[in-house]
Amino acid sequence: MSSRLSDTIYLNAQHKKTLHAKKKLIAEADEALQIPFRPSKTDIADWGHYFHCPYDGAALNFSWTNNKKFDCPSCRRVFEDSPFLGGWMGMAHGKLGEAVKHLSFAYAATKREDYLLKANKILLDYAECYPHYRTHGKIPYNGPGKLFAQTLDEANWMINLCYAYHIGKEHFTKEELEIVNNQLFLNAATFLSTWKEQQIHNHAVHITVAICMIGSILGNDHLIEQGFNGDYGLRNQIRKGVLEDGLWYEGSFSYHFYTLESIVQLAHITDDTRLWSFPEIKKMFDTPLLFIDNEGLLPSLNDSSSSISLSKYAHLYEFAFSSYGEEQYQMILRSLYGMQPSKFKRVPQDSYSLFFINQFVLNDTNCIVPCCKNNQNKTLTSSSSLTKISCENGWQVFQKHAPFGGEHDHLDQLGLSLSLKNKPFIRDPGTTRYSVPVHYDWFKHTYSHNTVSINGSDQPPADGKRIKAEQCEWGSWVESVVDWKSDTYLFQNLIQLPESMSSWDVESYKDCSIQRFNAITDRLFLDIVTVNVPEKREVDLLYHVDGQILHTQNWETSQAKLSKLNQDLFNNKREMMTNGSTFLQWKANEEIVNQHSWCSSKTMLYLANTPDNPPVSDRATLIQRSEPHQSITFINVFQIATDLPNREDENIEVIHSESDIRILVSTHASICGEFRLTKGKNHHSSTHSYFSS
């Protein structure tokens, strides 16, 4: 008797909608038949991140037959020995786990016996070897593995093997079943249960999903309950790790989808209806759609790759559409598949999710799908973690005001990303592979982000708070705050933070607060940052620009220390003293961008070239530094020079008093607009106005 999963794959494989997916699957299964690599009882796999170039972060070229020397496709350097050999071994077993899954899917779709025989042979090989593997691995923030070097990799490998067993188990002999059940799956379940993380974390989701999947395929209710329940079981991971707004608490869209993917994988196999009792799961599909831009891209916050495209997650939205049937998911899929006009990166309709679903996206050119309620063209979108404001001319800003996200946080509360005409100008670059030195040396620190650093140090854990966000006739605005008046934060008792990985400076930030007000009109972006300190502190406001500064004749070579980080990260350092008001110009994406800067105190400006992502190129870093004794306000206004009326430069004048801040925008002939913020008790915008002529 075949499994429900196998029957579903077979039926869907006969549908014309899965034609491309079936061809792709058969090609990958045919390739898997030729894999010469076999598991050995002496294999010791290391972290897959080690199989990357430490200079530029590129994945090294992988070959099944070459495990001695590994070349980088980007810089052409060649690497050998440790840790690259261990990284190769981790990649090899990870790929073999994927291969056995593809073989089992291909068997279910085609009933070709050679696919089944190869898949089951791999499972038997692993069953023979697995008891001989020894616990190892000292990866930061990770539990150990047996075959792999971390519990997370062990869990993901096991999830792939669970698919294969679930489809092919009826074709084992009784003796083979006993070997595979006991020596492989029950052995792995015991190991994963022992090292299940005692915290809310994406790793713990994958580990508990793997335990639940092993329980499901073996019909072992005890294992299912062990994975599902308990203080840090899957139930509490979902209920406590997903924020009220639907984002995964670690604050990275990469990890948001990574977490969601493992839950979807469990749904493919389990008949446990409890999984659908969580409203949080649907929110996890919905919330990212609020923050995509018109090209389907999401901001690279915290530990994310430098570019996050919804096109990578089409398979998840196939599952969402099949499960919930909502038209917003169909609209997203039609945009990704090129079935309707869109600037999204087009992807082929060939994901393996098509084999598991119960309804397909419409491909009728006469079919009009109603607009998505989470329209990416909204000018204001705000959640408890993130706010996006934009306008029709392609200006867009993201402001981060999230709970502290634990291991994957970048210590950059109230961080900023700004795009002009749909091109990045000031952005958060995410990070590289974790084995690349610049990850821990640069991207994990406050100073690599567009926010405030005090005394050149990292922000300690704290929760950002959005005060208010509003859409007005003239544009949209958001104001947020973060403070260090106490050392508590939302996830304090739910996550683990090893002291050796805690880079922040508690004393520098004690009793300090940062407020940020951002607004976009049809012709300018406004950034107002106020920092309150209890005594004299060095305050740096940072902007990392995708562009180059113009008119550098007033800048002098600088030997100043920029942050507490390694100074080798800062190249071509320059400085310029100001009395509080400065006009700068940038060239970015063939546009000239004006930056009017004002500060309530004397300010030193610094420029430097710092690592971009990937780290083969640089960004221009602008630092506005002052040393207030109590409070300081920075005001920066950005405009695209070529977009100004009659291309006439506008002047920005700031009038600062105890009761309000007035920002006058004018030409030599007239006042074009006025922005007024009346100071409230705890923040700026108790009242505000903007008038534009």
Side-chain angles (χ1 to χ4, degrees):
M1 181 179 177
S2 60
S3 69
R4 173 183 60 83
L5 179 64
S6 184
D7 290 343
T8 302
I9 292 174
Y10 180 77
L11 288 173
N12 281 2
Q14 313 315 308
H15 198 288
K16 63 180 181 179
K17 285 284 189 180
T18 64
L19 178 63
H20 295 298
K22 188 175 178 180
K23 286 182 177 179
K24 175 184 171 185
L25 177 61
I26 290 172
E28 292 191 335
D30 286 344
E31 186 177 322
L33 289 174
Q34 306 304 316
I35 292 175
F37 178 81
R38 289 187 64 184
S40 163
K41 295 176 182 179
T42 59
D43 288 347
I44 302 176
D46 212 329
W47 203 18
H49 283 264
Y50 288 144
F51 203 67
H52 289 78
C53 177
Y55 297 96
D56 55 40
L60 302 181
N61 287 321
F62 178 88
S63 167
W64 287 109
T65 57
N66 176 17
N67 63 354
K68 301 296 182 184
K69 294 185 178 182
F70 317 103
D71 63 296
C72 172
S74 178
C75 67
R76 302 302 177 186
R77 290 181 174 91
V78 176
F79 305 92
E80 55 187 319
D81 301 326
S82 180
F84 306 102
L85 176 57
W88 178 91
M89 185 68 74
M91 294 292 292
H93 282 288
K95 287 177 179 292
L96 193 59
E98 287 280 341
V100 74
K101 179 179 70 174
H102 294 155
L103 286 164
S104 66
F105 288 173
Y107 166 72
T110 67
K111 303 306 178 185
R112 274 181 53 177
E113 292 290 331
D114 53 344
Y115 294 151
L116 173 69
L117 292 173
K118 178 75 171 184
N120 283 1
K121 181 64 171 66
I122 295 171
L123 291 177
L124 282 167
D125 284 348
Y126 273 128
E128 291 291 340
C129 296
Y130 199 70
H132 298 273
Y133 297 143
R134 295 292 175 258
T135 302
H136 68 284
K138 296 181 179 180
I139 308 302
Y141 283 114
N142 283 271
K146 283 192 70 178
L147 172 56
F148 295 87
Q150 61 171 346
T151 322
L152 173 66
D153 288 346
E154 205 89 10
N156 286 330
W157 168 73
M158 186 52 55
I159 287 170
N160 285 331
L161 269 55
C162 283
Y163 278 114
Y165 178 86
H166 191 55
I167 291 171
K169 63 183 176 182
E170 295 169 359
H171 301 274
F172 286 115
T173 66
K174 183 178 179 181
E175 292 75 17
E176 289 172 337
L177 269 179
E178 186 173 345
I179 291 171
V180 173
N181 288 356
N182 294 328
Q183 294 183 193
L184 180 58
F185 288 107
L186 287 176
N187 194 337
T190 299
F191 179 82
L192 293 173
S193 298
T194 300
W195 291 101
K196 182 173 72 174
E197 295 195 5
Q198 299 301 298
Q199 61 174 331
I200 302 298
H201 198 285
N202 74 82
H203 292 188
V205 174
H206 286 258
I207 294 165
T208 55
V209 162
I211 295 169
C212 288
M213 286 183 78
I214 294 171
S216 293
I217 64 172
L218 298 183
N220 188 320
D221 290 340
H222 173 71
L223 279 180
I224 294 173
E225 293 307 306
Q226 195 172 41
F228 198 82
N229 290 315
D231 288 343
Y232 295 102
L234 183 59
R235 180 198 303 272
N236 277 352
Q237 295 293 332
I238 296 171
R239 286 186 171 171
K240 296 181 179 180
V242 180
L243 301 174
E244 186 177 351
D245 60 19
L247 291 177
W248 180 250
Y249 87 94
E250 288 176 285
S252 156
F253 282 106
S254 293
Y255 278 107
H256 176 95
F257 284 116
Y258 186 57
T259 301
L260 181 58
E261 175 127 35
S262 66
I263 297 170
V264 169
Q265 288 173 320
L266 178 59
H268 289 159
I269 284 182
T270 186
D271 292 318
D272 193 337
T273 57
R274 291 178 297 179
L275 203 58
W276 303 114
S277 66
F278 300 107
E280 293 90 348
I281 295 177
K282 185 176 183 305
K283 286 183 180 180
M284 291 183 77
F285 288 109
D286 291 346
T287 303
L289 303 184
L290 296 169
F291 295 103
I292 54 174
D293 66 12
N294 63 353
E295 296 181 354
L297 299 176
L298 288 157
S300 297
L301 307 174
N302 289 346
D303 280 346
S304 295
S305 59
S306 59
S307 177
I308 307 172
S309 173
L310 208 64
S311 60
K312 183 179 178 181
Y313 305 107
H315 63 291
L316 294 180
Y317 284 96
E318 285 282 8
F319 180 85
F321 177 56
S322 177
S323 300
Y324 301 107
E326 290 194 0
E327 290 166 343
Q328 63 169 333
Y329 304 137
Q330 182 165 218
M331 190 211 74
I332 289 296
L333 289 167
R334 286 173 59 84
S335 296
L336 290 170
Y337 295 148
M339 297 177 182
Q340 63 187 35
S342 169
K343 293 183 179 179
F344 286 13
K345 179 182 178 182
R346 185 173 177 176
V347 295
Q349 194 175 1
D350 63 358
S351 78
Y352 297 152
S353 281
L354 295 171
F355 295 123
F356 308 126
I357 61 179
N358 56 33
Q359 63 177 322
F360 295 98
V361 176
L362 296 173
N363 194 22
D364 183 354
T365 55
N366 297 317
C367 172
I368 301 175
V369 180
C371 290
C372 176
K373 65 182 179 181
N374 298 330
N375 194 318
Q376 64 265 24
N377 293 319
K378 282 180 65 175
T379 59
L380 172 66
T381 302
S382 191
S383 73
S384 60
S385 304
L386 184 67
T387 294
K388 179 182 81 171
I389 53 178
S390 58
C391 62
E392 293 180 356
N393 61 9
W395 290 38
Q396 178 175 265
V397 64
F398 288 97
Q399 188 194 92
K400 173 184 173 181
H401 41 73
F404 173 65
E407 170 195 353
H408 294 292
D409 202 283
H410 279 193
L411 311 175
D412 63 324
Q413 286 294 355
L414 309 195
L416 186 75
S417 292
L418 172 66
S419 295
L420 304 178
K421 293 189 175 180
N422 300 312
K423 299 292 184 181
F425 177 60
I426 298 169
R427 66 183 170 91
D428 188 330
T431 192
T432 61
R433 286 287 179 169
Y434 302 159
S435 59
V436 180
V438 76
H439 168 68
Y440 285 113
D441 291 349
W442 177 243
F443 291 118
K444 292 286 286 185
H445 297 281
T446 303
Y447 222 76
S448 66
H449 295 80
N450 305 298
T451 186
V452 171
S453 173
I454 297 177
N455 288 344
S457 59
D458 286 337
Q459 297 177 3
D463 299 328
K465 179 184 178 183
R466 182 197 61 212
I467 297 169
K468 192 174 182 181
E470 190 171 302
Q471 185 172 327
C472 307
E473 290 184 3
W474 49 263
S476 301
W477 62 270
V478 60
E479 185 172 22
S480 302
V481 64
V482 62
D483 69 60
W484 290 270
K485 295 177 181 177
S486 73
D487 59 0
T488 60
Y489 51 92
L490 182 61
F491 282 85
Q492 189 164 27
N493 298 318
L494 297 174
I495 59 178
Q496 299 171 1
L497 292 174
E499 188 173 342
S500 61
M501 303 294 290
S502 304
S503 61
W504 46 82
D505 183 347
V506 173
E507 288 303 312
S508 287
Y509 286 82
K510 187 176 181 180
D511 294 325
C512 296
S513 68
I514 305 170
Q515 297 163 224
R516 189 164 215 161
F517 178 95
N518 291 135
I520 284 183
T521 76
D522 60 350
R523 60 208 286 180
L524 62 82
F525 167 69
L526 175 62
D527 185 26
I528 302 177
V529 178
T530 297
V531 183
N532 296 298
V533 295
E535 58 190 14
K536 183 179 179 181
R537 302 282 167 86
E538 183 181 86
V539 175
D540 290 352
L541 175 61
L542 296 131
Y543 295 106
H544 300 277
V545 179
D546 283 353
Q548 63 185 72
I549 199 159
L550 304 177
H551 316 303
T552 58
Q553 60 270 23
N554 293 326
W555 295 84
E556 299 178 355
T557 301
S558 176
Q559 300 299 321
K561 185 175 183 180
L562 304 179
S563 83
K564 294 181 178 179
L565 303 178
N566 186 335
Q567 295 301 289
D568 290 341
L569 294 164
F570 302 90
N571 294 306
N572 192 22
K573 292 194 291 189
R574 290 159 286 170
E575 64 182 38
M576 180 171 64
M577 175 64 75
T578 78
N579 290 319
S581 183
T582 313
F583 174 74
L584 303 173
Q585 276 194 321
W586 301 87
K587 184 177 182 181
N589 298 308
E590 304 305 318
E591 300 284 354
I592 303 299
V593 181
N594 294 342
Q595 179 180 0
H596 301 267
S597 297
W598 178 92
C599 185
S600 57
S601 299
K602 184 181 292 186
T603 311
M604 180 67 80
L605 301 184
Y606 297 96
L607 273 175
N609 296 335
T610 58
D612 200 354
N613 186 15
V616 293
S617 58
D618 290 337
R619 292 186 293 172
T621 294
L622 173 67
I623 302 153
Q624 299 178 355
R625 174 176 290 177
S626 192
E627 296 185 356
H629 289 78
Q630 187 172 10
S631 178
I632 187 169
T633 297
F634 301 90
I635 297 177
N636 285 273
V637 180
F638 295 87
Q639 300 172 302
I640 296 180
T642 50
D643 286 354
L644 298 176
N646 302 318
R647 297 196 175 185
E648 185 177 14
D649 283 347
E650 293 180 343
N651 300 310
I652 308 293
E653 180 184 2
V654 177
I655 302 173
H656 187 231
S657 69
E658 293 184 0
S659 60
D660 66 11
I661 298 174
R662 296 173 63 202
I663 303 167
L664 302 178
V665 182
S666 63
T667 66
H668 72 280
S670 64
I671 294 178
C672 305
E674 177 181 333
F675 216 117
R676 177 177 294 183
L677 291 94
T678 303
K679 297 180 181 179
K681 182 177 180 181
N682 297 315
H683 53 86
H684 282 140
S685 56
S686 56
T687 62
H688 57 87
S689 58
Y690 177 71
F691 305 96
S692 179
S693 59

